Amino acid sequence: QKEVEQNSGPLSVPEGAIASLNCTYSDRGSQSFFWYRQYSGKSPELIMSIYSNGDKEDGRFTAQLNKASQYVSLLIRDSQPSDSATYLCAVVMNTGFQKLVFGTGTRLLVSP
Amino acid sequence: DAGVTQSPTHLIKTRGQQVTLRCSPKSGHDTVSWYQQALGQGPQFIFQYYEEEERQRGNFPDRFSGHQFPNYSSELNVNALLLGDSALYLCASSWQKNIQYFGAGTRLSVL
């Protein structure tokens, strides 16, 4: 079992729709969860961080965390073509160090 | 306020050669982590430096080594390059155990 799992996609949504990206993780003791956006040929850019169960909203983005189910998701409302990118889920495992463990990423395509 | 800076941007080497990549952390950050990202994969943790010491290491061979300087900047060295070392090398900085911010990366091609 991979430590962090994501569907590689591509996830295709029309402009204006809600995109839902999902991630599961294996270490039940994990405490910190992050979503990074990566455009082709560029480096990862932090979008959201979440540490507690529930929802965290920032503009068009909402991160959702369910530690009991070991599941974290990212919702993008009113999707725009500029949102087309690979979205990486990253988890800090319960090791005491800030080592990020990434999933393989989900490619999102937003069509005009 | 400069973000995380990495040099060089691109690098082409041949098998067996050695390479050094450099990273300057964001102002106020004291911790540097290095990641390798192969095409189509998520970044893989190489190691992390804090107070000029390697604090944690991922599953990478000893050919990968690093250093952190008193000004918090860092170098990643890779010896005896293999074709499989071709990847995007990412440096991330943070203040202690806080959120990591990535530089633009160095794309290494090994021929």
Side-chain angles (χ1 to χ4, degrees):
Chain A
Q1 181 187 7
K2 291 184 179 179
E3 293 178 292
V4 178
E5 294 202 60
Q6 296 181 255
N7 188 319
S8 61
L11 173 65
S12 296
V13 300
E15 183 175 357
I18 296 175
S20 178
L21 305 164
N22 304 314
C23 171
T24 58
Y25 58 94
S26 61
D27 183 355
R28 187 171 290 277
S30 299
Q31 296 295 321
S32 306
F33 307 86
F34 306 90
W35 284 98
Y36 287 84
R37 177 176 62 196
Q38 187 173 29
Y39 291 112
S40 181
K42 303 296 184 181
S43 65
E45 172 193 11
L46 181 69
I47 297 177
M48 293 286 287
S49 60
I50 188 166
Y51 305 96
S52 304
N53 278 330
D55 295 359
K56 179 181 178 182
E57 185 175 322
D58 184 0
R60 296 187 296 112
F61 299 97
T62 299
Q64 300 175 315
L65 175 61
N66 183 326
K67 290 186 177 180
S69 300
Q70 296 173 235
Y71 176 92
V72 58
S73 65
L74 178 70
L75 300 178
I76 306 175
R77 290 182 300 280
D78 188 24
S79 295
Q80 301 297 308
S82 59
D83 294 327
S84 298
T86 296
Y87 289 80
L88 296 163
C89 172
V91 177
V92 174
M93 301 290 174
N94 190 27
T95 63
F97 295 101
Q98 197 75 352
K99 163 190 168 183
L100 290 171
V101 180
F102 285 86
T104 55
T106 297
R107 186 176 170 211
L108 174 66
L109 297 176
V110 182
S111 54
Chain B
D1 178 24
V4 183
T5 58
Q6 291 187 243
S7 63
T9 306
H10 295 89
L11 207 49
I12 299 175
K13 292 286 188 178
T14 57
R15 283 179 296 174
Q17 285 189 310
Q18 178 265 341
V19 68
T20 298
L21 310 181
R22 296 177 175 82
C23 173
S24 293
K26 187 177 170 66
S27 178
H29 287 184
D30 59 4
T31 301
V32 172
S33 302
W34 287 93
Y35 295 82
Q36 179 196 65
Q37 187 176 24
L39 202 60
Q41 301 297 315
Q44 297 292 313
F45 176 79
I46 302 175
F47 41 52
Q48 183 179 88
Y49 279 87
Y50 172 70
E51 293 188 338
E52 301 179 52
E53 291 192 359
E54 183 182 291
R55 184 157 67 174
Q56 191 177 18
R57 188 180 183 89
N59 189 24
F60 280 81
D62 292 344
R63 297 187 299 109
F64 289 77
S65 63
H67 189 79
Q68 185 179 35
F69 299 95
N71 66 353
Y72 306 117
S73 68
S74 178
E75 289 182 348
L76 164 65
N77 300 292
V78 186
N79 294 323
L81 285 167
L82 303 174
L83 295 178
D85 295 332
S86 296
L88 178 66
Y89 288 85
L90 296 162
C91 169
S93 76
S94 61
W95 180 72
Q96 297 188 3
K97 294 184 180 181
N98 290 289
I99 292 173
Q100 294 182 32
Y101 296 90
F102 285 87
T106 294
R107 186 162 297 282
L108 172 65
S109 298
V110 182
L111 306 179

